Amino acid sequence: MKIAVLGHGTVGSGVCEILIEKSKEIAKSAGKELELGYVLDIRDFEDVPYSEKFTKDFSAVLADPEVGIVAEAMGGLEPAHSYVKAALESGRSVVTSNKELVAEKGAELLSIARAHNANFLFEASVGGGIPLIRPLYSSMNAAGITEFAGILNGTTNYILTKMFRFGESYEEALSGAQTLGYAEKDPSADVLGWDACRKAAILSSLIWGRTLRPSEIPTEGISKITSDDVNLAESCGFSIKLIARAKLLENGKIFAKVSPAMIKNDSPLASVNDVFNAVLIRAETTGEVLFYGKGAGKMPTASSVIADIIECAKAKGNIKEVFWEDGAQSVFANADAVSERYCIRTDYDASMLIPGAEIIGTNAYITPPLSESEITVLEEKILEHGSLLSKIPLFE
Ligand code: HSE
């Protein structure tokens, strides 16, 4: 069977290399030979050993009946969405590392895959090289998952680690992440939290079976974190991590949020450093389960794409568990549904404004649990008398 790889960037080139270098292992695992058939890219790559496989014409890929599986690693919504849709409609299975595509178009593409008895798999879209999606839909599909919280973006975790451990500036750390190939082409998707938000939307949709749109999830990135925040956190035994979290509420709605959060150093997520990702799952039957591994980078991510290719090659028809639907009504709960404590820094003594606050430093406080509306009111009160230097929720 031929495999077509769409996009020869960081992940796509890794997929091509593994397909060629590990062909024997892959054939053993898949039960059949899987051969790199095509690589679609608008750019020319003459100095790779498989340069004769390149094409710029997607219709040539679709016209070849030997192509059984398409691996999409182009990123972005278009033309990835049109190509994936056409491949699924032709009865081919598609695997992807493209979180934007899965988060925005997952319900539609899963439904097309089901209608054509094919598969649409996306292990590489969340958690890079961590086997995460498959355990969620196979091993834990009856566990009664009530909540997850994760460090889902390698770039921001790398930046925060360098700021904490080595006192690097935000800019120095970002440039290091870009050199290592972790960051998205436009790093704002990483540092503003959109990448983590898309991944949280995918996990939530898969776990609870109904689309949670990225646009519904309140999202804040790490670009406002300063060395003063880092110093304060360190002095009180906390780390700061970009945490994506979601919770199934009793009314069936889902509360989700992506933001930097202060985490006590003895929490398992606090010791997740560099480009590593981790996802903590809470479920009725299993209690807490922690997934941990490299969340970005060429080979870890390509390895997850290969695992999906093998899964598609072995599958007998559509894998029913991998599915979610678009409901008529939003599943997102009211932003006030969950209260959190916040670490607040001001430029004056604001203790009188925060009843029940714990004082953790000069003009630095931990509030009692507050809803979104309550913290907004407090923010307004603080601003009447001076500046609010930072406001970071605690993840507990
Ligand atoms: N830019 C992403 C990250 C790549 O840093 O996690 C992997 O999705």
Side-chain angles (χ1 to χ4, degrees):
M1 180 189 284
K2 285 186 189 169
I3 311 298
V5 176
L6 312 186
H8 193 256
T10 307
V11 178
S13 58
V15 173
C16 296
E17 286 167 28
I18 301 178
L19 273 175
I20 291 168
E21 285 161 21
K22 301 267 184 224
S23 60
K24 280 203 191 97
E25 292 87 339
I26 292 172
K28 193 170 165 214
S29 194
K32 61 183 82 153
E33 302 274 332
L34 300 179
E35 173 205 349
L36 178 63
Y38 297 88
V39 188
L40 180 92
D41 204 293
I42 48 171
R43 299 162 296 176
D44 292 314
F45 294 86
E46 276 149 21
D47 49 2
V48 294
Y50 45 90
S51 56
E52 79 285 358
K53 309 279 185 190
F54 277 81
T55 178
K56 295 182 168 58
D57 179 10
F58 182 64
S59 57
V61 175
L62 272 193
D64 185 342
E66 287 183 49
V67 172
I69 299 167
V70 172
E72 187 274 314
M74 308 171 81
L77 276 185
E78 284 301 339
H81 173 242
S82 308
Y83 291 171
V84 167
K85 202 170 158 187
L88 291 170
E89 282 168 346
S90 74
R92 268 92 168 196
S93 286
V94 176
V95 308
T96 184
S97 57
N98 184 340
K99 40 257 150 142
E100 194 175 356
L101 179 70
V102 183
E104 297 289 347
K105 303 285 180 189
E108 178 204 18
L109 296 170
L110 287 165
S111 146
I112 297 174
R114 187 174 270 191
H116 291 84
N117 204 26
N119 284 298
F120 177 59
L121 299 183
F122 41 87
E123 182 65 67
S125 67
V126 186
I130 310 173
L132 169 65
I133 300 291
R134 189 154 305 112
L136 285 179
Y137 72 71
S138 62
S139 323
M140 295 194 75
N141 58 351
I145 297 175
T146 52
E147 196 174 342
F148 71 81
I151 294 172
L152 298 179
N153 182 267
T155 300
T156 45
N157 206 42
Y158 178 90
I159 293 172
L160 290 171
T161 303
K162 294 289 173 200
M163 289 173 77
F164 262 80
R165 283 213 182 144
F166 303 104
E168 282 189 16
S169 70
Y170 171 79
E171 289 74 17
E172 282 168 338
L174 172 59
S175 142
Q178 284 172 315
T179 308
L180 292 165
Y182 301 149
E184 300 296 306
K185 269 181 228 148
D186 173 1
S188 45
D190 294 299
V191 298
L192 299 181
W194 307 335
D195 178 74
C197 167
R198 288 170 186 145
K199 292 167 176 169
I202 295 171
L203 291 183
S204 176
S205 301
L206 177 70
I207 291 171
W208 293 302
R210 292 166 298 160
T211 301
L212 178 63
R213 289 176 209 295
S215 58
E216 297 176 293
I217 303 177
T219 297
E220 189 189 324
I222 63 160
S223 55
K224 291 188 203 145
I225 302 293
T226 64
S227 45
D228 288 338
D229 296 321
V230 170
N231 293 338
L232 175 66
E234 274 187 326
S235 72
C236 325
F238 283 96
S239 292
I240 301 176
K241 300 287 182 190
L242 183 69
I243 300 290
R245 46 214 187 269
K247 202 180 219 175
L248 178 66
L249 304 180
E250 278 178 8
N251 62 4
K253 295 275 186 179
I254 290 154
F255 174 81
K257 181 168 173 174
V258 175
S259 77
M262 306 261 287
I263 312 184
K264 271 280 180 206
N265 281 336
D266 57 8
S267 149
L269 292 181
S271 50
V272 176
N273 286 313
D274 293 312
V275 73
F276 283 86
N277 282 190
V279 185
L280 185 67
I281 305 278
R282 291 196 177 123
E284 284 159 8
T285 55
T286 57
E288 287 190 350
V289 175
L290 184 69
F291 294 89
Y292 172 84
K294 280 197 176 156
K298 176 173 170 168
M299 285 314 194
T301 312
S303 164
S304 287
V305 175
I306 295 287
D308 274 351
I309 291 176
I310 294 171
E311 191 71 7
C312 287
K314 288 195 320 199
K316 298 194 175 23
N318 178 258
I319 303 170
K320 298 278 176 284
E321 295 83 4
V322 191
F323 195 74
W324 62 83
E325 51 196 25
D326 265 331
Q329 287 185 334
S330 165
V331 296
F332 186 70
N334 182 325
D336 272 341
V338 168
S339 294
E340 295 180 310
R341 298 200 292 163
Y342 287 80
C343 174
I344 299 271
R345 283 195 308 115
T346 53
D347 62 353
Y348 65 98
D349 181 356
S351 51
M352 298 296 285
L353 299 175
I354 321 172
E358 185 187 333
I359 299 173
I360 54 166
T362 311
N363 303 330
Y365 315 91
I366 291 181
T367 70
L370 299 174
S371 69
E372 194 62 34
S373 310
E374 288 166 336
I375 185 73
T376 306
V377 169
L378 175 60
E379 225 175 309
E380 284 163 5
K381 276 195 213 156
I382 290 172
L383 291 174
E384 282 170 20
H385 305 280
S387 302
L388 176 62
L389 301 177
S390 71
K391 178 196 83 177
I392 305 175
L394 268 59
F395 175 71
E396 303 177 274

